Amino acid sequence: MNLAKAVTHRSGILYLVFFLFISRFCLAQPDQCTPTAGQFTGALQISPGIGCLPLKIKATSGLRNVTNVRYVYDYQGGAVKDSELIRDSVFTYQKPGLFRVLQYSEQDGRQLRACAIVQVYDTLPPELVLTGCQTRVMVTIPKSAEYQYDWYRVDWGDGTQEQLGGVSPVGVHTYADDKQRFISVRGVHLYGNCGGTTRVFFRPDTKAITPVIDQVRAVGPQSIDLTISNPGGNRYRIEQRSPGGTYVQTSQRSDAVNATVRLEADTTVAVCFRLILADTCLQAAPSAEVCYTPPKPPEPAPVSDSTVFMPDAFSPNADGINDHWQLQGLLSGKATLTIFNRWGEVVFSTEDALTGWDGKQQGKTVPPGTYSYRLDQEKPDGRRLQKRGVVVLVP
């Protein structure tokens, strides 16, 4: 029974429960690919029995005069239901793996069965890393262990081809000139002679001209566009940092002469960028740093309102001159006026600020001196304003 596929995507308790359930089930059901004493077996032939996705196979019987031929193209063990049987002898596998094919047939009244193995390889295009140095280029395949290719065929794009081993493949090539090339790398499975191909562009660098950032522009809450001039046409990398931080390399690389590159960045905070040449053998300083600073929020527009003037002194001595302290101007909305003595105690408060203060506390005239006031306003539009100051009470 093939449990590898079943347990790959499960872990922990679910994995254990599933494993025990399947194990017990398979123990209870006989494997149809294991012949027992006196059991007649058929003769199953698969063509091809090995290859890459999508793999189309044809199943036939090696015996003559067989009838009622049926197949299970991914037999997992145990008993087989009639609904699982397929009469078509042609089948296409759409996923990689190792599969068992079970064949049922009849000959002269005898029930026959036979099994065969089919190997289906994946065709993942290999991920390449190019490291250039003038007209010399090195190709590495860091994930070669995942692809499980037996070897790699490299076409350097100048008529030269090379074969690399499947374990830690590294290829180095030097071009005779600085013309642009397309490098093709094909992973190959030994059995089946098939695999996936990756084609990449390469242009040798000959002049160490560092590109420059012409403009930095926010295009969204998390996006910034860099307009870049690259007269040398050299490959470069983009680095970024926050103010006061250190530069880190982004995933962006290019060799376009003029380009606009979009980066993911928080446009609510400042961020700085610079460019460096990707080829370490070209000695050149990084480009000048260019920073993006988010614009300051606009100042709120002034709201027209009446001017309120508060006199700075009055004399409540009943001589009919300046006996009452009142604000002047047009007051809109609600307003509360509060008077404090020099110890911070409230000596007077009113929600009718326009009536002002007669210099008394609970009907008695307060001593001469300096008193502070607070005018709390609530405008008709809901805004709250406050005005503070002092007033001198003179005899």
Side-chain angles (χ1 to χ4, degrees):
M1 175 180 179
N2 180 11
L3 289 179
K5 179 178 66 176
V7 301
T8 299
H9 303 291
R10 291 166 173 81
S11 60
I13 298 300
L14 291 178
Y15 166 80
L16 181 59
V17 171
F18 182 80
F19 181 82
L20 292 175
F21 172 79
I22 293 297
S23 298
R24 292 177 181 175
F25 178 79
C26 291
L27 288 175
Q29 300 293 332
D31 192 296
Q32 301 297 301
C33 288
T34 303
T36 59
Q39 173 67 50
F40 296 105
T41 59
L44 173 59
Q45 297 175 350
I46 301 292
S47 179
I50 190 169
C52 288
L53 285 176
L55 182 62
K56 183 178 181 180
I57 67 166
K58 181 174 178 59
T60 58
S61 174
L63 302 177
R64 296 181 178 180
N65 302 321
V66 293
T67 60
N68 196 22
V69 182
R70 295 148 295 158
Y71 300 94
V72 178
Y73 288 102
D74 185 11
Y75 178 59
Q76 299 290 319
V80 176
K81 299 178 181 179
D82 289 341
S83 60
E84 298 174 332
L85 297 173
I86 299 174
R87 292 188 177 275
D88 195 343
S89 62
V90 177
F91 184 81
T92 301
Y93 289 95
Q94 302 292 345
K95 58 183 178 180
L98 192 65
F99 302 92
R100 284 197 300 175
V101 181
L102 171 61
Q103 179 197 65
Y104 287 112
S105 62
E106 298 175 9
Q107 184 187 55
D108 300 329
R110 296 181 303 174
Q111 300 296 322
L112 306 178
R113 66 175 183 237
C115 291
I117 298 295
V118 175
Q119 174 71 63
V120 183
Y121 292 116
D122 211 338
T123 56
L124 297 172
E127 181 179 316
L128 310 179
V129 174
L130 297 186
T131 304
C133 182
Q134 296 184 348
T135 59
R136 177 177 175 270
V137 63
M138 179 173 66
V139 173
T140 58
I141 307 174
K143 297 181 179 180
S144 59
E146 299 180 16
Y147 305 134
Q148 298 182 353
Y149 287 120
D150 294 291
W151 69 77
Y152 294 87
R153 294 185 186 133
V154 183
D155 186 335
W156 295 105
D158 61 352
T160 305
Q161 296 183 348
E162 183 178 356
Q163 182 170 303
L164 307 179
V167 180
S168 302
V170 177
V172 179
H173 186 69
T174 301
Y175 294 99
D177 52 50
D178 62 352
K179 295 180 180 178
Q180 66 182 24
R181 301 298 200 290
F182 281 99
I183 300 174
S184 177
V185 179
R186 177 177 175 80
V188 181
H189 293 291
L190 173 61
Y191 299 102
N193 192 29
C194 57
T197 302
T198 298
R199 197 164 182 252
V200 293
F201 169 81
F202 175 76
R203 179 170 56 198
D205 294 331
T206 57
K207 297 179 181 179
I209 302 176
T210 304
V212 296
I213 302 174
D214 296 323
Q215 185 184 34
V216 178
R217 183 172 64 94
V219 292
Q222 296 291 329
S223 300
I224 286 181
D225 277 357
L226 304 185
T227 303
I228 297 172
S229 297
N230 182 26
N234 297 326
R235 285 181 300 279
Y236 61 85
R237 298 189 180 98
I238 301 175
E239 296 185 335
Q240 74 180 59
R241 71 175 181 86
S242 56
T246 57
Y247 271 105
V248 295
Q249 195 174 116
T250 70
S251 60
Q252 294 289 343
R253 302 183 184 187
S254 180
D255 58 5
V257 175
N258 296 292
T260 298
V261 180
R262 180 158 299 179
L263 298 173
E264 182 177 331
D266 185 358
T267 58
T268 63
V269 297
V271 60
C272 299
F273 302 92
R274 72 177 184 183
L275 309 176
I276 60 171
L277 293 181
D279 296 340
T280 56
C281 65
L282 298 176
Q283 300 298 320
S287 70
E289 177 181 84
V290 177
C291 297
Y292 167 80
T293 303
K296 294 182 179 179
E299 295 292 336
V303 178
S304 58
D305 195 7
S306 303
T307 300
V308 176
F309 174 71
M310 309 295 289
D312 55 5
F314 75 112
S315 57
N317 54 10
D319 63 354
I321 302 174
N322 200 23
D323 287 333
H324 211 80
W325 185 68
Q326 289 180 298
L327 59 87
Q328 300 177 11
L330 181 61
L331 185 65
S332 61
K334 301 176 181 179
T336 300
L337 178 63
T338 307
I339 310 296
F340 306 87
N341 61 21
R342 60 179 179 173
W343 296 285
E345 298 171 339
V346 176
V347 298
F348 176 78
S349 180
T350 178
E351 293 183 356
D352 185 9
L354 290 175
T355 63
W357 182 39
D358 60 1
K360 294 181 179 180
Q361 180 183 12
Q362 296 180 353
K364 297 181 179 180
T365 302
V366 299
T370 300
Y371 294 83
S372 60
Y373 69 86
R374 187 183 70 206
L375 179 65
D376 296 297
Q377 304 178 63
E378 182 178 350
K379 296 295 183 179
D381 59 4
R383 291 180 302 120
R384 294 182 179 274
L385 304 177
Q386 190 178 87
K387 184 178 181 66
R388 292 175 177 268
V390 296
V391 58
V392 178
L393 190 151
V394 298

